Amino acid sequence: MKSILTNTVKITVAAVLAILCAQVLKLDFAVSAGIVAILSVQPTKKEPLRTALARLLAFAVALAISTTLFNLLGFTVPVFFLYLLLFILVCQWRKWISAMAMDSVLISHFLSFGKTGPAEIKNEILLFVLGVAFGILVNLLLHKKADYIEELKKQTDNQIKQALHRMALRIQNPALADYNGSCFVSLNESIFTAKKQAEENYNNQFSKKDTFDSRYLDMREKQTKILYEMFKAAQLLGTIPATAALLSDFLEKVSNEYHKDNDVKALLEELALIHDKMKAHPLPQTRTEFEDRANLFILMERLKEFLQIKHDFMIAQNKLVDFYRKKRPVKISEL
């Protein structure tokens, strides 16, 4: 709600400033500059810049069609209808859809002027320039969310850490309260929100293509799917096998060392040692012990996959960093 109110104020201010500037320049129909500013606001930073040239071309075409028709057939509403028919046809053909309403509002002023002299054309051009300029300005202000994605990534990581911590507790306490997987609902929601914001941030870049956040969140999403498989294995445990302490302590360690820069190489090596220790334990003597040991083994294998996903991501990221460093010095945040 706060974001909606903030954006509303910014768009309104842009429209008001465009109108005031038009009034200072003593332009006719100054309010239209504000309307153009509002119509120029786009979902991302790149949109107004990417469409600026197209809108300029569309406006030039609108001027050419309207001045020709008005001067040949007169400044009447039926002639304006004919202008609309031709201009909308061109806009549909050239895919200048967003320019149809904006430019036609300005062209309609010629009906009131009753002429299309240099002064009248200059008036409309200035209204167009002011409106588009303030529309671009408000777009730059609307999409400043560089820090927000970091907060979302940190939130996601903390939820995964908490899931690992609870799993470590569950292995040694089959009666652990509220171990029902409800945390995965909020975790998946966090990942969805973060990925959506990462996509928006990607679209708000002017030149460099920073894909790190999207790739990072894809990696965390893959890990979450594996984490859920681990949860199901832990949930099936009805007893505390002799090997439970080994895996529980290691899960707690993974939770404590869980952060974005850890390549988890040391953790994978330690997990391999734990695997050997578990294999060295005497064979289970009862069916229940056998089933619980099997579930622990499944959990351990999924945990290996969980860590390997992060390890592979870090290897790929480091290769990417090295590749770009050969071209020019870069910050990791640019990748």
Side-chain angles (χ1 to χ4, degrees), residues 6-7 9-19 21 33 36-42 44-52 55 128-144 204 206:
T6 301
N7 289 349
V9 170
K10 289 177 180 178
I11 294 171
T12 303
V13 169
V16 170
L17 290 176
I19 293 170
C21 285
V36 172
I38 294 172
L39 293 173
S40 296
V41 175
Q42 298 292 323
T44 67
K45 286 181 183 177
K46 287 197 302 184
E47 285 300 313
L49 297 179
R50 187 162 51 192
T51 59
R55 288 185 173 181
F128 174 84
V129 170
L130 285 173
V132 171
F134 279 100
I136 291 175
L137 177 61
V138 77
N139 264 75
L140 295 175
L141 297 175
L142 281 179
H143 303 289
K144 288 187 175 181
N204 282 332
F206 293 117

Side-chain angles (χ1 to χ4, degrees), residues 96-125:
W96 295 337
I97 307 302
S98 61
M100 293 189 297
M102 179 190 301
D103 293 347
S104 296
V105 166
L106 299 177
I107 296 303
S108 67
H109 298 160
F110 291 138
L111 288 174
S112 299
F113 288 135
K115 55 182 177 178
T116 57
E120 289 74 29
I121 292 176
K122 178 183 177 183
N123 185 87
E124 301 313 304
I125 290 175

